[in-house]
Amino acid sequence: LGDPRVAVAWDGALWFAGFTNYGEVHGSQVDASGTVTAASPFTITTGNFYANDATAANGSGRALLGWTHGGPGIPYNIDPFDVFAAEISPAGATAPYPLTISPPAQVFPAVAGDATSGYLVAFQSRSTGSVQVVAQRFAQNGAPLDAQPLVLATGGSTIGGTLDVAFDGAQWLVVW
């Protein structure tokens, strides 16, 4: 199955695990006793050019799943990668929606936060010879809370791969 990635979150009642496997994104919900719910596993999106780098955040009655996404629906160019998300509730997943749609490539997302304060999504913005670590706040439905991402670092390929975000209820910490 390629290079599957998984991310987990707690929605207040259920555990949610999101799985990416290049062209597919799937989810599964597990109750507090460890029992997989009857509706699980379920497909969030399939048939994509690329879907990987899963990240998840806790929610109030739902969880938020994000991933690096490349097509369909993304115009193919040199770097057709953006960050997509879906809300996961006990009823299942919403349709995937874009958090970022713009060149250069937007990859390696990490998310933390909550429905009240918003979610901070940090990711790498990559172009030929340049990498920026950026972060932007979004509402749980994907609406941006900031006009533009905040640039945290700029460099070349020495800014490594994955990053992570944590939230203590008042402040976010981004590490890379």
Side-chain angles (χ1 to χ4, degrees):
L1 291 177
D3 184 17
R5 307 287 171 96
V6 64
V8 296
W10 174 252
D11 73 5
L14 296 169
W15 290 105
F16 166 74
F19 307 87
T20 58
N21 189 26
Y22 287 114
E24 302 175 352
V25 180
H26 301 279
S28 190
Q29 292 168 317
V30 178
D31 69 22
S33 72
T35 303
V36 176
T37 64
S40 293
F42 50 89
T43 299
I44 298 169
T45 182
T46 189
N48 303 293
F49 166 70
Y50 181 87
N52 213 349
D53 307 322
T55 183
N58 299 344
S60 179
R62 57 191 64 233
L64 184 71
L65 176 69
W67 64 91
T68 300
H69 183 92
I74 305 239
Y76 186 80
N77 55 32
I78 294 171
D79 286 314
F81 301 111
D82 285 291
V83 177
F84 271 57
E87 295 175 67
I88 315 301
S89 73
T94 64
Y97 52 83
L99 292 181
T100 66
I101 294 280
S102 66
Q106 316 296 321
V107 296
F108 302 123
V111 62
D114 60 37
T116 303
S117 299
Y119 292 89
L120 184 75
V121 179
F123 52 93
Q124 286 188 10
S125 182
R126 295 180 148 238
S127 62
T128 304
S130 176
V131 176
Q132 290 184 320
V133 174
V134 298
Q136 187 169 12
R137 292 180 311 130
F138 293 91
Q140 192 156 350
N141 66 2
L145 298 176
D146 304 310
Q148 295 292 323
L150 175 65
V151 176
L152 303 176
T154 300
S157 61
T158 57
I159 296 178
T162 61
L163 31 101
D164 207 357
V165 179
F167 182 63
D168 70 2
Q171 296 180 9
W172 285 273
L173 174 65
V174 180
V175 295
W176 63 92

